[in-house]
Amino acid sequence: MVTNNKVVDLRSDTVTKPSEAMRAAMAAADVDDDVLGADPTAQRFEAEMARIMGKEAALFVPSGTMANLVSVLVHCDARGCEVILGDNSHIHVYENGGISTIGGVHPKTVPNNADGTMDIDRIVAAIRHQDGALYYPTTRLICLENTHANCGGKCLSVEYIDKVGEVAKNHGLKLHIDGARIFNASVALGVPVDRLVRAADSVSVCLSKGLGAPVGSIIVGAKAFIDKAKILRKTLGGGMRQVGILCAAAYVGVRDTVGKLADDHRKAKVLADGLKKIKQFTVDLTSVETNMVFFDIADPRITPDKLCQVLEQRNVLAMPASSKSVRLVIHYQISDSDVQHALTCIEKAVEEILSGSAKFEHLTNGSTANSYGH
Amino acid sequence: MLTKAVDLRSDTVTKPSEAMRAAMAAADVDDDVLGSDPTAHRFETEMARMMGKEAALFVPSGTMANLVSALVHCDTRGSEVILGDNSHMHIYENGGMSTIGGVHPRTVRNNPDGTMDIDRIVAAIRHPNGLCYPTTRLICLENTQGNCGGKCLSVEYTDKVGEVAKTHGLKLHIDGARIFNASVALGVPVDRLVRAADSVSVCLSKGLGAPVGSVIVGSKAFIEKAKILRKTLGGGMRQVGVLCAAAHVGVRDTVGKLADDHRRAKVLADGLKKIKQLTVDLTSVETNMVYFDITDPLISPGKLCQVLEQRNVLAMAVTSKSVRLVTHYQISDSDVQYALTCIEEAVEEILLGNAKFGHLTNGVTANSYGN
């Protein structure tokens, strides 16, 4: 039995705390002023990430938001640019509209299908025609997201990405992949990560999610692209000094945790199977491809907020995803017994709410401020 | 002989101490974006208290601290900021307040002592409702003023500028990257020094020695907006307590060592003055920076720095005829003596024509910018 002292945190894979190996690596890191020259640990890590991803160069940044913002702004460095991206993509929904408010770039959204893709013909239709140059911004970039979070941690296949890459090439556009969870996709698809992103001009990869590092993301791309990205990173305020501290931990994450992602996916399926047995919920088992499980609550007496609150009392943390759904995310610091404990707690929470015995604090409209974009 | 480099390029080169490394390894952390990292929370609370403001926010860099501050104060389209023509924000932050934030700068001349004349500041304030004018919203000061030589702005001057701001309905931001150096050199408690300011940016990664980061302090309402803008720019970090733990050690352990940095800077300046090919204004060494001019045309800053590098002494060429040296607590008294000896020897070498030079440009290297 799991004791109730430990919190089972299924809100996101961003909650992973640094491992002992990471803490030791951070304490021992060989560092220097990365803005003035090169922090040797940062340099080594960036070179390794570029190699792993099959690109020429890499750049460490404080967050996935900055990785995407820098990438879009470097690709779209002239006034009047437009970028094509999914209407349910993280960049469009959860990054404060920064590409526009900070970067002056206009978004053109295309509907995301349930599987995370956008229809190829709709992408093509969204590309601005030269003839309309008097009224149109100029399309410069297409962005994909792999795995696609809001669609449930869905994998975009290498065939699909290659196809979008061809569309981009034919129209003189660049392709950026928001690959915050690209390693999850690579593992689930059984496709080496460098092959998976080969068609992309740039990729953002998170170290602080399932890979477990405390901070940071990395951008990979051509050397010329990364040279510009470095300046923009500085401009936004992301130029950090002895940043090797963070790179040391990130390095450990890539080394030690990629191999554990398959287990996260397995545990997510176990969780989904268990949730399906609870009759107040609906779960689409086929839609659990990686480490995320979304489930709908069919019983109107149970709201996502209420459920999450009662679960919190039992030290299980989950995230309401909409007015009637909840999201759970598995990461390597969630064990098999944690999964069983969570399922038991969820069953009990449902009973408690239905029997009217649950205690609620002040609730709002069923979605909390924290249920956004992680 | 020394294998370790005597790095006088900047106080940004300070490496984390053993105490910092231990603190980082042991830090109690959580997802700071999702809720709050307890170590970040504790550190931000402590910094707010120390600076005499309501709240604080940890950010990856001084550039972001200033950018966020300017953009939060100037959150309406058509805003203008008054700042020094030789200020770090204007010269060395990629023009980000404009290119990223859409804010227009209005510069006022920086005097050699780091101040801007009060009457020139007032003259720069736009008349409201001018059809052709942006709207002045903010005045920015820098303390210590880096390009002017690490000069301290007095509390009286800061208060006066604060009054001007208040009288005209403007905000006051202080780029206090090295505010602790100013506080120590002036003998004025840091919270008193910045009392007139609505916001202050403070670097932890310079003389205080932390590996990464700065803090913005201000009112609670200001910091709440700053938090969102920080996220927007991409500065929202997850288990950031790792960095805050080191920063906290820096503030605890290193503020008390700044006076020694200032003392060593004066020793350095005294020694440089004795070298006849160089000129130094001793009275202008107020904190941890020493600028010296090279009067002998046979010696360029680039050449000098290159020859010094061969001796493991690192300095920064700043113009076509001057060099800057910055002391920090990882520079010892004997390092200072060693550096002086090397500089003397380097001068001799260059004059004798014995020095070997790599590919040189016009005497100013790409690294001599804004650090």
Side-chain angles (χ1 to χ4, degrees):
Chain A
M1 192 59 228
V2 175
T3 66
N4 277 348
N5 289 334
K6 178 192 166 196
V7 173
V8 175
D9 196 344
L10 298 164
R11 287 175 298 170
S12 178
D13 46 6
T14 57
V15 305
T16 45
K17 295 189 184 183
S19 61
E20 282 312 313
M22 283 179 188
R23 287 172 181 276
M26 287 191 284
D30 180 20
V31 295
D32 206 336
D33 189 327
D34 196 50
V35 173
L36 267 190
D39 178 294
T41 301
Q43 236 197 3
R44 261 198 305 270
F45 179 62
E46 285 165 346
E48 179 61 9
M49 285 308 296
R51 189 194 65 77
I52 289 174
M53 304 298 296
K55 301 298 177 195
E56 288 179 358
L59 190 72
F60 185 83
V61 289
S63 68
T65 295
M66 191 182 283
N68 289 329
L69 182 59
V70 166
S71 300
V72 171
L73 266 46
V74 172
H75 287 306
C76 300
D77 58 0
R79 189 181 300 288
C81 289
E82 188 163 85
V83 57
I84 293 170
L85 73 176
D87 67 347
N88 206 8
S89 63
H90 196 274
I91 294 176
H92 189 65
V93 182
Y94 298 123
E95 297 185 12
N96 306 83
I99 63 168
S100 307
T101 65
I102 298 295
V105 177
H106 196 251
K108 190 98 193 307
T109 59
V110 169
N112 276 120
N113 301 316
D115 64 0
T117 61
M118 297 176 276
D119 287 350
I120 298 283
D121 54 355
R122 287 190 199 202
I123 293 176
V124 175
I127 298 172
R128 300 283 193 164
H129 203 278
Q130 291 273 67
D131 288 355
L134 187 58
Y135 321 93
Y136 291 166
T138 308
T139 311
R140 285 279 168 118
L141 177 69
I142 302 172
C143 289
L144 295 177
E145 185 180 327
N146 198 9
T147 62
H148 195 286
N150 262 10
C151 294
K154 296 288 171 61
C155 303
L156 304 187
S157 70
V158 65
E159 294 80 17
Y160 175 77
I161 295 171
D162 284 353
K163 231 181 278 177
V164 176
E166 255 184 75
V167 167
K169 210 182 206 110
N170 291 343
H171 291 84
L173 310 176
K174 301 290 184 185
L175 173 61
H176 170 74
I177 296 179
D178 175 357
R181 298 181 173 98
I182 194 72
F183 282 101
N184 292 77
S186 163
V187 162
L189 293 168
V191 175
V193 73
D194 56 345
R195 176 63 188 90
L196 190 52
V197 303
R198 199 165 69 192
D201 295 284
S202 58
V203 188
S204 59
V205 186
C206 265
L207 291 327
S208 66
K209 294 189 169 74
L211 301 188
V215 172
S217 279
I218 198 128
I219 310 168
V220 294
K223 191 173 177 307
F225 172 84
I226 292 297
D227 283 345
K228 291 186 193 166
K230 201 174 215 177
I231 296 175
L232 194 42
R233 177 188 69 172
K234 184 94 176 72
T235 307
L236 295 172
M240 295 182 278
R241 300 284 173 178
Q242 284 75 26
V243 72
I245 303 283
L246 299 177
C247 292
Y251 202 53
V252 171
V254 174
R255 185 194 72 196
D256 289 359
T257 321
V258 174
K260 299 180 184 171
L261 296 178
D263 260 334
D264 294 347
H265 302 171
R266 179 185 59 74
K267 288 175 192 135
K269 288 187 168 63
V270 168
L271 196 48
D273 281 339
L275 290 167
K276 198 161 175 58
K277 301 195 176 99
I278 302 175
K279 64 179 165 71
Q280 290 78 11
F281 297 160
T282 52
V283 194
D284 176 3
L285 292 179
T286 63
S287 82
V288 179
E289 296 183 9
T290 55
N291 66 331
M292 290 193 190
V293 181
F294 281 74
F295 63 94
D296 283 353
I297 305 177
D299 191 318
R301 292 170 292 172
I302 307 169
T303 67
D305 241 34
K306 279 185 198 174
L307 184 63
C308 291
Q309 222 188 52
V310 177
L311 282 172
E312 191 172 345
Q313 291 161 10
R314 287 179 156 67
N315 273 337
V316 173
L317 305 178
M319 201 176 271
S322 73
S323 57
K324 61 178 195 114
S325 65
V326 176
R327 183 188 81 167
L328 302 170
V329 183
I330 301 286
H331 50 84
Y332 85 101
Q333 289 168 356
I334 296 295
S335 66
D336 285 293
S337 51
D338 287 338
V339 170
Q340 292 309 319
H341 177 67
L343 283 168
T344 308
C345 290
I346 292 171
E347 286 166 13
K348 292 198 179 142
V350 166
E351 280 175 36
E352 238 186 78
I353 297 171
L354 291 181
S355 67
S357 59
K359 292 182 180 49
F360 301 109
E361 317 211 331
H362 170 71
L363 287 174
T364 57
N365 65 353
S367 92
T368 65
N370 270 345
S371 59
Y372 298 121
H374 301 276
Chain B
M1 204 50 246
L2 266 179
T3 47
K4 165 199 151 196
V6 174
D7 197 343
L8 296 162
R9 288 175 298 171
S10 178
D11 46 8
T12 56
V13 306
T14 46
K15 297 190 182 180
S17 62
E18 284 311 314
M20 282 179 189
R21 288 174 179 274
M24 287 191 284
D28 181 20
V29 295
D30 205 336
D31 189 328
D32 196 49
V33 174
L34 266 189
S36 129
D37 178 294
T39 301
H41 196 65
R42 258 195 309 270
F43 179 61
E44 286 165 347
T45 304
E46 178 62 11
M47 285 308 296
R49 189 196 64 76
M50 285 184 82
M51 305 298 295
K53 302 298 179 195
E54 288 178 357
L57 190 71
F58 184 83
V59 289
S61 68
T63 296
M64 190 181 284
N66 289 330
L67 182 60
V68 165
S69 299
L71 266 47
V72 172
H73 287 306
C74 301
D75 57 1
T76 311
R77 188 182 302 287
S79 295
E80 187 164 85
V81 172
I82 293 171
L83 74 175
D85 66 348
N86 206 8
S87 63
H88 195 276
M89 283 174 76
H90 188 64
I91 305 284
Y92 299 123
E93 297 185 12
N94 307 83
M97 89 163 64
S98 307
T99 65
I100 299 296
V103 177
H104 196 252
R106 188 79 190 278
T107 59
V108 169
R109 214 187 57 142
N110 276 117
N111 300 316
D113 65 359
T115 62
M116 297 175 276
D117 289 349
I118 298 281
D119 54 355
R120 288 189 199 206
I121 293 176
V122 174
I125 299 171
R126 300 282 194 164
H127 203 278
N129 308 318
L131 185 61
C132 348
Y133 292 166
T135 307
T136 311
R137 296 230 184 235
L138 178 68
I139 303 173
C140 289
L141 295 177
E142 183 180 328
N143 197 7
T144 63
Q145 221 287 357
N147 265 9
C148 295
K151 296 288 171 64
C152 304
L153 304 186
S154 69
V155 64
E156 294 80 16
Y157 175 78
T158 305
D159 284 353
K160 232 182 277 178
V161 176
E163 259 184 69
V164 166
K166 208 183 207 110
T167 307
H168 291 85
L170 311 176
K171 300 290 184 185
L172 173 62
H173 170 73
I174 296 179
D175 175 357
R178 298 181 172 97
I179 194 73
F180 280 101
N181 292 77
S183 163
V184 162
L186 294 168
V188 175
V190 72
D191 56 345
R192 175 63 188 91
L193 189 53
V194 304
R195 199 165 69 193
D198 295 282
S199 59
V200 188
S201 59
V202 186
C203 265
L204 289 329
S205 67
K206 294 190 169 72
L208 300 187
V212 171
S214 281
V215 168
I216 311 168
V217 294
S219 70
K220 194 170 175 301
F222 172 85
I223 292 297
E224 271 166 22
K225 292 186 190 167
K227 200 174 217 177
I228 296 176
L229 194 41
R230 176 187 72 172
K231 183 94 177 73
T232 305
L233 295 172
M237 297 182 277
R238 300 285 173 178
Q239 284 75 25
V240 73
V242 170
L243 299 177
C244 293
H248 208 172
V249 171
V251 175
R252 185 195 71 196
D253 289 359
T254 323
V255 174
K257 299 180 184 171
L258 296 177
D260 265 331
D261 295 345
H262 300 172
R263 180 183 57 73
R264 289 189 194 108
K266 290 188 168 61
V267 169
L268 201 46
D270 281 340
L272 290 166
K273 198 160 175 61
K274 300 196 176 98
I275 303 174
K276 64 177 165 73
Q277 291 80 6
L278 313 176
T279 54
V280 193
D281 176 2
L282 293 178
T283 62
S284 81
V285 179
E286 296 184 10
T287 55
N288 65 331
M289 289 191 190
V290 182
Y291 281 75
F292 63 90
D293 283 352
I294 305 175
T295 48
D296 192 320
L298 292 171
I299 307 168
S300 72
K303 281 185 199 173
L304 185 63
C305 290
Q306 221 188 45
V307 176
L308 282 173
E309 191 172 345
Q310 291 161 9
R311 286 174 161 70
N312 267 341
V313 173
L314 305 177
M316 201 174 274
V318 284
T319 66
S320 55
K321 61 178 197 118
S322 65
V323 176
R324 184 189 79 168
L325 303 170
V326 184
T327 57
H328 51 84
Y329 85 101
Q330 288 167 358
I331 296 295
S332 65
D333 287 301
S334 52
D335 288 337
V336 168
Q337 291 310 318
Y338 176 71
L340 283 168
T341 307
C342 289
I343 292 170
E344 287 167 14
E345 287 176 357
V347 165
E348 279 178 38
E349 232 185 84
I350 297 171
L351 290 180
L352 290 174
N354 291 344
K356 292 183 179 50
F357 300 109
H359 172 70
L360 287 174
T361 56
N362 66 352
V364 172
T365 65
N367 269 346
S368 59
Y369 298 120
N371 293 291

